[in-house]
Amino acid sequence: METKLKDFVSDMKDKIIKASIESIKKEGLRFSVDSLANSLKISKKTIYKYFPDKESLAIALYEKIFCDAFEKANALKKQSEATAQKELLHLYFDCKWMTRREIFNKYKLNKTIYAYVADKINSLWELIAASFDNEESEKTKETLRIIIDGSFEKLCNTGLMPDAVIERLVNLL
Protein backbone atom coordinates (compact mmCIF):
# COMPACT_ATOMS: atom_id res chain seq x y z
CA MET A 1 0.00 0.00 0.00
CA GLU A 2 2.80 2.41 0.93
CA THR A 3 4.60 1.72 -2.38
CA LYS A 4 1.43 2.54 -4.35
CA LEU A 5 1.07 5.83 -2.48
CA LYS A 6 4.71 6.75 -3.20
CA ASP A 7 4.21 5.86 -6.87
CA PHE A 8 1.05 7.99 -7.00
CA VAL A 9 2.83 10.96 -5.43
CA SER A 10 5.77 10.54 -7.80
CA ASP A 11 3.47 10.23 -10.82
CA MET A 12 1.51 13.34 -9.83
CA LYS A 13 4.69 15.36 -9.32
CA ASP A 14 5.98 14.21 -12.72
CA LYS A 15 2.68 15.16 -14.38
CA ILE A 16 2.77 18.61 -12.80
CA ILE A 17 6.40 19.15 -13.86
CA LYS A 18 5.82 17.97 -17.44
CA ALA A 19 2.64 20.04 -17.75
CA SER A 20 4.51 23.08 -16.39
CA ILE A 21 7.20 22.71 -19.04
CA GLU A 22 4.60 22.35 -21.80
CA SER A 23 2.61 25.31 -20.46
CA ILE A 24 5.63 27.60 -20.43
CA LYS A 25 6.52 26.49 -23.96
CA LYS A 26 2.98 27.17 -25.21
CA GLU A 27 1.88 30.07 -23.04
CA GLY A 28 5.20 31.76 -22.38
CA LEU A 29 4.71 34.67 -20.03
CA ARG A 30 0.97 33.97 -19.72
CA PHE A 31 1.77 30.78 -17.79
CA SER A 32 0.27 30.67 -14.31
CA VAL A 33 -0.38 28.10 -11.62
CA ASP A 34 -4.10 28.64 -12.31
CA SER A 35 -3.72 27.74 -16.00
CA LEU A 36 -1.54 24.78 -15.03
CA ALA A 37 -4.20 23.50 -12.63
CA ASN A 38 -6.88 23.93 -15.30
CA SER A 39 -4.87 22.02 -17.89
CA LEU A 40 -4.34 19.14 -15.46
CA LYS A 41 -7.95 19.30 -14.24
CA ILE A 42 -6.81 19.56 -10.64
CA SER A 43 -7.04 22.33 -8.09
CA LYS A 44 -4.36 24.91 -7.52
CA LYS A 45 -4.28 23.63 -3.93
CA THR A 46 -3.24 20.19 -5.23
CA ILE A 47 -0.25 21.72 -7.03
CA TYR A 48 0.78 23.51 -3.86
CA LYS A 49 0.48 20.23 -1.97
CA TYR A 50 3.35 18.85 -4.06
CA PHE A 51 5.21 22.14 -4.56
CA PRO A 52 4.75 24.53 -1.62
CA ASP A 53 5.63 27.60 -3.71
CA LYS A 54 6.51 28.72 -7.23
CA GLU A 55 10.22 28.44 -6.51
CA SER A 56 9.90 24.76 -5.60
CA LEU A 57 8.01 24.12 -8.82
CA ALA A 58 10.58 26.12 -10.79
CA ILE A 59 13.48 24.16 -9.31
CA ALA A 60 11.80 20.86 -10.18
CA LEU A 61 10.95 22.13 -13.66
CA TYR A 62 14.52 23.22 -14.44
CA GLU A 63 16.01 20.06 -12.95
CA LYS A 64 13.83 18.06 -15.36
CA ILE A 65 14.66 20.28 -18.33
CA PHE A 66 18.40 20.00 -17.81
CA CYS A 67 18.41 16.33 -16.85
CA ASP A 68 16.62 15.57 -20.12
CA ALA A 69 18.84 17.98 -22.07
CA PHE A 70 22.09 16.41 -20.86
CA GLU A 71 20.77 12.93 -21.53
CA LYS A 72 19.78 13.90 -25.07
CA ALA A 73 23.02 15.82 -25.71
CA ASN A 74 25.13 12.84 -24.70
CA ALA A 75 23.10 10.59 -26.99
CA LEU A 76 23.39 13.08 -29.88
CA LYS A 77 27.16 13.29 -29.54
CA LYS A 78 27.29 9.61 -30.55
CA GLN A 79 25.55 10.31 -33.88
CA SER A 80 27.06 11.55 -37.12
CA GLU A 81 28.53 15.02 -36.83
CA ALA A 82 26.22 16.84 -39.27
CA THR A 83 23.02 15.51 -37.74
CA ALA A 84 24.25 15.91 -34.19
CA GLN A 85 25.34 19.55 -34.57
CA LYS A 86 21.96 20.66 -35.83
CA GLU A 87 20.09 18.75 -33.14
CA LEU A 88 22.47 19.94 -30.42
CA LEU A 89 21.89 23.56 -31.44
CA HIS A 90 18.12 22.96 -31.38
CA LEU A 91 18.48 21.46 -27.92
CA TYR A 92 20.56 24.43 -26.76
CA PHE A 93 18.01 26.86 -28.20
CA ASP A 94 15.17 25.06 -26.42
CA CYS A 95 17.03 25.42 -23.11
CA LYS A 96 17.80 29.08 -23.81
CA TRP A 97 14.10 29.64 -24.61
CA MET A 98 13.03 28.10 -21.31
CA THR A 99 15.56 30.14 -19.36
CA ARG A 100 15.24 33.58 -20.94
CA ARG A 101 15.36 36.53 -18.57
CA GLU A 102 11.77 37.67 -18.97
CA ILE A 103 10.57 34.37 -17.52
CA PHE A 104 12.65 35.00 -14.42
CA ASN A 105 11.54 38.61 -14.19
CA LYS A 106 7.85 37.84 -14.73
CA TYR A 107 7.69 35.08 -12.17
CA LYS A 108 10.14 36.79 -9.81
CA LEU A 109 12.18 33.61 -9.54
CA ASN A 110 14.97 33.95 -7.05
CA LYS A 111 18.69 34.33 -7.64
CA THR A 112 19.42 30.79 -6.48
CA ILE A 113 17.30 29.36 -9.27
CA TYR A 114 18.83 31.77 -11.78
CA ALA A 115 22.34 30.74 -10.66
CA TYR A 116 21.41 27.07 -11.02
CA VAL A 117 20.04 27.67 -14.51
CA ALA A 118 23.08 29.73 -15.55
CA ASP A 119 25.41 26.98 -14.35
CA LYS A 120 23.46 24.32 -16.25
CA ILE A 121 23.37 26.42 -19.43
CA ASN A 122 27.16 26.86 -19.17
CA SER A 123 27.68 23.13 -18.66
CA LEU A 124 25.37 22.31 -21.56
CA TRP A 125 27.27 24.77 -23.75
CA GLU A 126 30.58 23.10 -22.88
CA LEU A 127 29.17 19.73 -23.85
CA ILE A 128 27.79 21.09 -27.12
CA ALA A 129 30.86 23.17 -28.00
CA ALA A 130 33.04 20.08 -27.69
CA SER A 131 31.07 18.52 -30.55
CA PHE A 132 31.99 21.25 -33.01
CA ASP A 133 35.75 21.02 -33.02
CA ASN A 134 38.03 19.80 -30.28
CA GLU A 135 40.97 21.63 -31.86
CA GLU A 136 39.53 25.10 -31.32
CA SER A 137 41.13 27.50 -28.87
CA GLU A 138 39.24 28.80 -25.86
CA LYS A 139 39.02 32.22 -27.53
CA THR A 140 37.43 30.66 -30.62
CA LYS A 141 34.94 28.77 -28.46
CA GLU A 142 34.06 32.00 -26.61
CA THR A 143 33.54 33.77 -29.94
CA LEU A 144 31.34 30.93 -31.17
CA ARG A 145 29.25 31.13 -28.02
CA ILE A 146 28.79 34.88 -28.39
CA ILE A 147 27.57 34.40 -31.96
CA ILE A 148 25.20 31.56 -31.06
CA ASP A 149 23.92 33.12 -27.83
CA GLY A 150 23.38 36.45 -29.60
CA SER A 151 21.47 34.75 -32.40
CA PHE A 152 19.36 32.78 -29.95
CA GLU A 153 18.67 35.81 -27.77
CA LYS A 154 17.43 37.69 -30.81
CA LEU A 155 15.24 34.71 -31.77
CA CYS A 156 13.81 34.55 -28.25
CA ASN A 157 12.98 38.26 -28.36
CA THR A 158 11.28 38.07 -31.76
CA GLY A 159 9.53 34.75 -31.24
CA LEU A 160 10.67 33.49 -34.64
CA MET A 161 11.31 29.80 -35.25
CA PRO A 162 15.00 28.87 -34.97
CA ASP A 163 15.18 26.38 -37.87
CA ALA A 164 16.60 28.65 -40.58
CA VAL A 165 19.08 30.30 -38.21
CA ILE A 166 20.30 26.97 -36.85
CA GLU A 167 20.64 25.59 -40.36
CA ARG A 168 22.75 28.59 -41.35
CA LEU A 169 24.88 28.36 -38.19
CA VAL A 170 25.62 24.69 -38.84
CA ASN A 171 26.63 25.51 -42.44
CA LEU A 172 28.94 28.27 -41.20
CA LEU A 173 30.56 26.02 -38.63
Side-chain angles (χ1 to χ4, degrees), residues 81-134:
E81 187 176 303
T83 304
Q85 286 179 344
K86 186 175 178 180
E87 292 301 314
L88 284 166
L89 285 178
H90 271 284
L91 179 64
Y92 186 66
F93 175 79
D94 289 345
C95 287
K96 293 291 280 183
W97 176 256
M98 294 297 290
T99 59
R100 60 197 189 281
R101 281 196 184 273
E102 63 253 8
I103 287 177
F104 280 86
N105 293 338
K106 161 94 166 58
Y107 300 114
K108 297 176 180 66
L109 299 177
N110 68 37
K111 291 179 183 175
T112 304
I113 298 170
Y114 188 78
Y116 170 81
V117 167
D119 179 60
K120 292 298 181 183
I121 282 285
N122 289 335
S123 297
L124 184 60
W125 170 253
E126 290 300 319
L127 184 66
I128 290 170
S131 74
F132 287 103
D133 188 357
N134 293 333

Coordinates of all heavy atoms in Angstrom, one line a residue, residues 81-134:
E81 N 28.3 13.6 -37.2 CA 28.5 15.0 -36.8 C 27.5 16.0 -37.4 O 27.0 16.8 -36.7 CB 29.9 15.4 -37.3 CG 30.4 16.8 -36.9 CD 31.8 17.1 -37.3 OE1 32.7 16.3 -36.9 OE2 31.9 18.1 -38.0
A82 N 27.1 15.9 -38.7 CA 26.2 16.8 -39.3 C 24.8 16.8 -38.6 O 24.3 17.9 -38.3 CB 26.1 16.6 -40.8
T83 N 24.3 15.6 -38.4 CA 23.0 15.5 -37.7 C 23.1 16.0 -36.3 O 22.2 16.7 -35.8 CB 22.5 14.0 -37.8 OG1 22.5 13.6 -39.1 CG2 21.2 13.9 -37.2
A84 N 24.1 15.6 -35.6 CA 24.2 15.9 -34.2 C 24.4 17.4 -34.0 O 23.7 17.9 -33.1 CB 25.5 15.2 -33.6
Q85 N 25.2 18.1 -34.8 CA 25.3 19.5 -34.6 C 24.0 20.3 -34.7 O 23.7 21.2 -33.8 CB 26.4 20.1 -35.6 CG 27.8 19.7 -35.2 CD 28.8 20.3 -36.3 OE1 28.4 20.7 -37.3 NE2 30.0 20.2 -35.9
K86 N 23.3 20.0 -35.7 CA 22.0 20.7 -35.8 C 21.0 20.4 -34.6 O 20.4 21.3 -34.1 CB 21.3 20.2 -37.1 CG 20.1 20.9 -37.5 CD 19.6 20.5 -38.9 CE 18.3 21.2 -39.2 NZ 17.8 20.7 -40.5
E87 N 20.9 19.1 -34.3 CA 20.1 18.8 -33.1 C 20.6 19.3 -31.8 O 19.8 19.7 -31.0 CB 19.9 17.2 -33.1 CG 19.2 16.6 -34.2 CD 17.7 17.2 -34.3 OE1 17.1 17.3 -33.3 OE2 17.3 17.6 -35.4
L88 N 21.9 19.4 -31.6 CA 22.5 19.9 -30.4 C 22.2 21.4 -30.3 O 21.8 21.9 -29.2 CB 24.0 19.7 -30.4 CG 24.4 18.3 -30.0 CD1 25.9 18.1 -30.3 CD2 24.1 18.0 -28.6
L89 N 22.2 22.1 -31.5 CA 21.9 23.6 -31.4 C 20.4 23.8 -31.2 O 20.0 24.7 -30.5 CB 22.3 24.2 -32.7 CG 23.8 24.5 -32.9 CD1 24.1 25.1 -34.2 CD2 24.3 25.4 -31.7
H90 N 19.6 22.9 -31.7 CA 18.1 23.0 -31.4 C 17.9 22.7 -29.9 O 17.1 23.4 -29.3 CB 17.3 21.9 -32.2 CG 16.9 22.4 -33.5 ND1 15.8 23.3 -33.7 CD2 17.3 22.2 -34.8 CE1 15.6 23.6 -34.9 NE2 16.6 22.9 -35.6
L91 N 18.6 21.8 -29.3 CA 18.5 21.5 -27.9 C 18.9 22.7 -27.1 O 18.3 23.1 -26.1 CB 19.3 20.2 -27.6 CG 19.4 19.8 -26.1 CD1 18.0 19.3 -25.7 CD2 20.4 18.7 -26.0
Y92 N 20.0 23.3 -27.5 CA 20.6 24.4 -26.8 C 19.6 25.6 -26.9 O 19.3 26.3 -25.9 CB 21.9 24.8 -27.3 CG 22.6 25.9 -26.6 CD1 23.1 25.7 -25.3 CD2 22.9 27.1 -27.2 CE1 23.7 26.7 -24.6 CE2 23.6 28.1 -26.5 CZ 24.0 28.0 -25.2 OH 24.6 29.0 -24.6
F93 N 19.0 25.8 -28.0 CA 18.0 26.9 -28.2 C 16.8 26.6 -27.3 O 16.3 27.5 -26.7 CB 17.5 27.0 -29.7 CG 16.4 28.0 -29.8 CD1 16.7 29.4 -29.8 CD2 15.1 27.6 -29.9 CE1 15.7 30.3 -29.9 CE2 14.1 28.5 -30.0 CZ 14.4 29.9 -30.0
D94 N 16.3 25.4 -27.3 CA 15.2 25.1 -26.4 C 15.4 25.4 -25.0 O 14.6 25.9 -24.3 CB 14.8 23.6 -26.5 CG 14.2 23.2 -27.9 OD1 13.8 24.2 -28.6 OD2 14.1 22.0 -28.2
C95 N 16.7 25.1 -24.5 CA 17.0 25.4 -23.1 C 17.1 26.9 -22.9 O 16.7 27.5 -21.9 CB 18.3 24.7 -22.7 SG 18.1 22.9 -22.5
K96 N 17.7 27.6 -23.9 CA 17.8 29.1 -23.8 C 16.4 29.7 -23.8 O 16.1 30.6 -23.0 CB 18.6 29.7 -25.0 CG 20.0 29.3 -25.0 CD 20.8 30.0 -23.9 CE 21.1 31.4 -24.3 NZ 22.0 32.1 -23.3
W97 N 15.5 29.2 -24.6 CA 14.1 29.6 -24.6 C 13.4 29.5 -23.2 O 12.7 30.4 -22.8 CB 13.3 28.9 -25.7 CG 11.9 29.3 -25.7 CD1 10.8 28.5 -25.2 CD2 11.3 30.5 -26.2 NE1 9.6 29.2 -25.4 CE2 9.9 30.4 -26.0 CE3 11.8 31.6 -26.8 CZ2 9.0 31.4 -26.4 CZ3 11.0 32.6 -27.2 CH2 9.6 32.5 -27.0
M98 N 13.7 28.4 -22.6 CA 13.0 28.1 -21.3 C 13.7 28.8 -20.1 O 13.2 28.8 -19.0 CB 13.0 26.6 -21.0 CG 12.2 25.8 -22.0 SD 10.4 26.2 -21.9 CE 10.0 25.5 -20.3
T99 N 14.8 29.5 -20.4 CA 15.6 30.1 -19.4 C 15.8 31.6 -19.6 O 16.6 32.3 -19.0 CB 16.9 29.4 -19.1 OG1 17.7 29.5 -20.3 CG2 16.7 28.0 -18.7
R100 N 15.0 32.2 -20.6 CA 15.2 33.6 -20.9 C 14.9 34.5 -19.8 O 14.0 34.1 -18.9 CB 14.5 33.9 -22.2 CG 13.0 33.8 -22.2 CD 12.4 33.7 -23.6 NE 11.0 33.8 -23.5 CZ 10.2 32.7 -23.3 NH1 10.8 31.5 -23.0 NH2 8.9 32.8 -23.2
R101 N 15.5 35.6 -19.7 CA 15.4 36.5 -18.6 C 13.9 36.9 -18.3 O 13.6 37.1 -17.1 CB 16.2 37.8 -18.8 CG 17.7 37.5 -18.5 CD 18.4 38.9 -18.4 NE 19.8 38.7 -18.2 CZ 20.4 38.5 -17.0 NH1 19.6 38.4 -15.9 NH2 21.6 38.3 -16.9
E102 N 13.1 37.2 -19.3 CA 11.8 37.7 -19.0 C 11.0 36.7 -18.2 O 10.1 37.0 -17.4 CB 11.0 38.1 -20.2 CG 10.7 37.1 -21.2 CD 11.6 37.2 -22.5 OE1 12.5 38.1 -22.5 OE2 11.4 36.5 -23.4
I103 N 11.3 35.4 -18.3 CA 10.6 34.4 -17.5 C 10.9 34.6 -16.1 O 10.1 34.6 -15.2 CB 10.9 32.9 -18.0 CG1 10.2 32.6 -19.3 CG2 10.5 31.9 -16.9 CD1 10.5 31.3 -19.9
F104 N 12.2 34.8 -15.8 CA 12.7 35.0 -14.4 C 12.1 36.3 -13.9 O 11.7 36.3 -12.7 CB 14.2 35.0 -14.3 CG 14.7 33.6 -14.3 CD1 15.0 32.9 -15.5 CD2 14.9 32.9 -13.2 CE1 15.4 31.6 -15.5 CE2 15.4 31.6 -13.2 CZ 15.6 31.0 -14.4
N105 N 12.1 37.3 -14.7 CA 11.5 38.6 -14.2 C 10.0 38.5 -14.0 O 9.5 39.0 -12.9 CB 11.9 39.7 -15.2 CG 13.3 40.0 -15.3 OD1 14.1 39.7 -14.3 ND2 13.8 40.6 -16.3
K106 N 9.3 37.9 -14.9 CA 7.8 37.8 -14.7 C 7.4 37.1 -13.5 O 6.6 37.5 -12.8 CB 7.3 37.2 -16.0 CG 5.8 36.6 -15.8 CD 4.8 37.6 -16.3 CE 3.4 37.0 -16.5 NZ 2.7 36.3 -15.4
Y107 N 8.1 35.9 -13.3 CA 7.7 35.1 -12.2 C 8.5 35.4 -10.9 O 8.3 34.7 -9.9 CB 7.8 33.6 -12.6 CG 6.9 33.3 -13.7 CD1 7.4 32.9 -15.0 CD2 5.5 33.5 -13.6 CE1 6.6 32.7 -16.0 CE2 4.7 33.2 -14.7 CZ 5.2 32.9 -15.9 OH 4.4 32.6 -16.9
K108 N 9.3 36.4 -11.0 CA 10.1 36.8 -9.8 C 10.9 35.6 -9.2 O 10.9 35.4 -8.0 CB 9.3 37.5 -8.8 CG 8.7 38.8 -9.3 CD 7.8 39.5 -8.4 CE 7.2 40.7 -8.9 NZ 6.3 40.6 -10.0
L109 N 11.4 34.8 -10.0 CA 12.2 33.6 -9.5 C 13.5 34.1 -8.9 O 14.1 35.0 -9.3 CB 12.5 32.6 -10.7 CG 11.2 32.1 -11.3 CD1 11.6 31.2 -12.5 CD2 10.4 31.3 -10.3
N110 N 13.9 33.4 -7.9 CA 15.0 33.9 -7.1 C 16.3 33.7 -7.7 O 16.5 33.0 -8.7 CB 14.9 33.4 -5.6 CG 15.2 31.9 -5.6 OD1 16.0 31.4 -6.3 ND2 14.5 31.2 -4.7
K111 N 17.3 34.4 -7.1 CA 18.7 34.3 -7.6 C 19.3 32.9 -7.6 O 20.1 32.6 -8.4 CB 19.6 35.3 -6.9 CG 19.2 36.8 -7.2 CD 20.0 37.8 -6.4 CE 19.5 39.2 -6.7 NZ 20.2 40.2 -6.0
T112 N 18.9 32.2 -6.6 CA 19.4 30.8 -6.5 C 19.0 30.0 -7.7 O 19.8 29.2 -8.3 CB 18.9 30.1 -5.2 OG1 19.3 30.9 -4.1 CG2 19.5 28.7 -5.0
I113 N 17.8 30.1 -8.1 CA 17.3 29.4 -9.3 C 18.0 29.9 -10.5 O 18.4 29.1 -11.4 CB 15.8 29.5 -9.4 CG1 15.1 28.8 -8.2 CG2 15.3 28.8 -10.7 CD1 13.6 29.1 -8.1
Y114 N 18.1 31.2 -10.6 CA 18.8 31.8 -11.8 C 20.3 31.3 -11.8 O 20.8 30.9 -12.9 CB 18.8 33.3 -11.8 CG 19.3 33.9 -13.0 CD1 18.5 33.9 -14.2 CD2 20.6 34.4 -13.1 CE1 19.0 34.4 -15.4 CE2 21.1 34.9 -14.3 CZ 20.3 34.9 -15.4 OH 20.8 35.4 -16.6
A115 N 20.9 31.2 -10.7 CA 22.3 30.7 -10.7 C 22.4 29.3 -11.1 O 23.3 28.9 -11.8 CB 22.9 30.9 -9.3
Y116 N 21.5 28.5 -10.6 CA 21.4 27.1 -11.0 C 21.2 27.0 -12.5 O 22.0 26.2 -13.2 CB 20.2 26.4 -10.3 CG 19.9 25.0 -10.8 CD1 20.7 23.9 -10.4 CD2 18.9 24.8 -11.7 CE1 20.5 22.6 -10.8 CE2 18.7 23.5 -12.2 CZ 19.4 22.4 -11.8 OH 19.2 21.2 -12.2
V117 N 20.3 27.7 -13.1 CA 20.0 27.7 -14.5 C 21.3 28.1 -15.3 O 21.6 27.5 -16.3 CB 18.8 28.5 -14.8 CG1 18.7 28.8 -16.3 CG2 17.5 27.8 -14.3
A118 N 21.9 29.2 -14.9 CA 23.1 29.7 -15.6 C 24.2 28.7 -15.6 O 24.9 28.5 -16.6 CB 23.5 31.0 -14.9
D119 N 24.4 28.0 -14.4 CA 25.4 27.0 -14.4 C 25.1 25.8 -15.3 O 26.0 25.3 -16.0 CB 25.5 26.5 -12.9 CG 26.5 25.4 -12.8 OD1 27.7 25.6 -13.1 OD2 26.2 24.2 -12.4
K120 N 23.8 25.4 -15.4 CA 23.5 24.3 -16.2 C 23.6 24.7 -17.7 O 24.0 23.9 -18.5 CB 22.0 23.8 -15.9 CG 21.9 23.2 -14.6 CD 22.8 21.9 -14.5 CE 22.7 21.2 -13.2 NZ 23.5 20.1 -13.1
I121 N 23.2 25.9 -18.0 CA 23.4 26.4 -19.4 C 24.9 26.4 -19.8 O 25.2 26.0 -20.9 CB 22.8 27.8 -19.6 CG1 21.3 27.8 -19.7 CG2 23.3 28.6 -20.8 CD1 20.7 27.3 -21.0
N122 N 25.7 26.9 -18.9 CA 27.2 26.9 -19.2 C 27.7 25.4 -19.4 O 28.5 25.2 -20.3 CB 27.9 27.6 -18.1 CG 27.7 29.1 -18.1 OD1 27.4 29.6 -19.1 ND2 27.9 29.7 -16.9
S123 N 27.2 24.5 -18.5 CA 27.7 23.1 -18.7 C 27.2 22.5 -20.0 O 27.9 21.8 -20.6 CB 27.2 22.3 -17.5 OG 27.7 22.8 -16.3
L124 N 25.9 22.8 -20.3 CA 25.4 22.3 -21.6 C 26.1 22.9 -22.7 O 26.5 22.2 -23.7 CB 23.9 22.6 -21.7 CG 23.2 22.1 -22.9 CD1 23.2 20.6 -22.9 CD2 21.7 22.6 -22.9
W125 N 26.5 24.2 -22.7 CA 27.3 24.8 -23.7 C 28.6 24.1 -23.9 O 29.0 23.8 -25.0 CB 27.5 26.3 -23.5 CG 28.5 26.8 -24.5 CD1 29.8 27.1 -24.3 CD2 28.3 26.9 -25.9 NE1 30.4 27.5 -25.5 CE2 29.5 27.3 -26.5 CE3 27.2 26.7 -26.8 CZ2 29.7 27.6 -27.8 CZ3 27.4 26.9 -28.1 CH2 28.6 27.4 -28.6
E126 N 29.3 23.8 -22.8 CA 30.6 23.1 -22.9 C 30.5 21.7 -23.6 O 31.3 21.4 -24.4 CB 31.2 22.9 -21.5 CG 31.6 24.2 -20.8 CD 32.7 24.9 -21.7 OE1 33.6 24.3 -22.2 OE2 32.6 26.2 -21.8
L127 N 29.4 21.0 -23.2 CA 29.2 19.7 -23.9 C 28.9 19.9 -25.4 O 29.5 19.1 -26.2 CB 28.0 19.1 -23.2 CG 27.6 17.7 -23.6 CD1 28.7 16.7 -23.2 CD2 26.3 17.3 -22.9
I128 N 28.1 20.9 -25.7 CA 27.8 21.1 -27.1 C 29.0 21.6 -27.9 O 29.3 21.2 -29.0 CB 26.6 22.0 -27.2 CG1 25.3 21.3 -26.8 CG2 26.4 22.6 -28.6 CD1 24.1 22.1 -26.6
A129 N 29.7 22.6 -27.3 CA 30.9 23.2 -28.0 C 31.9 22.1 -28.3 O 32.6 22.2 -29.4 CB 31.5 24.3 -27.1
A130 N 32.1 21.1 -27.5 CA 33.0 20.1 -27.7 C 32.7 19.3 -28.9 O 33.6 18.7 -29.6 CB 33.1 19.2 -26.5
S131 N 31.5 19.3 -29.4 CA 31.1 18.5 -30.5 C 31.4 19.2 -31.8 O 31.4 18.6 -32.9 CB 29.6 18.2 -30.5 OG 28.8 19.4 -30.8
F132 N 31.7 20.5 -31.8 CA 32.0 21.2 -33.0 C 33.4 21.0 -33.5 O 33.6 20.7 -34.6 CB 31.7 22.7 -32.8 CG 30.2 23.0 -32.8 CD1 29.5 23.2 -31.6 CD2 29.5 22.9 -34.0 CE1 28.2 23.4 -31.6 CE2 28.1 23.1 -34.0 CZ 27.4 23.4 -32.8
D133 N 34.4 21.2 -32.6 CA 35.8 21.0 -33.0 C 36.6 21.0 -31.8 O 36.8 22.1 -31.1 CB 36.2 22.1 -34.0 CG 37.6 21.8 -34.6 OD1 38.2 20.8 -34.2 OD2 38.0 22.6 -35.4
N134 N 37.2 19.9 -31.5 CA 38.0 19.8 -30.3 C 39.3 20.6 -30.4 O 40.0 20.8 -29.4 CB 38.3 18.3 -30.0 CG 37.1 17.6 -29.5 OD1 36.1 18.2 -29.0 ND2 37.0 16.3 -29.8

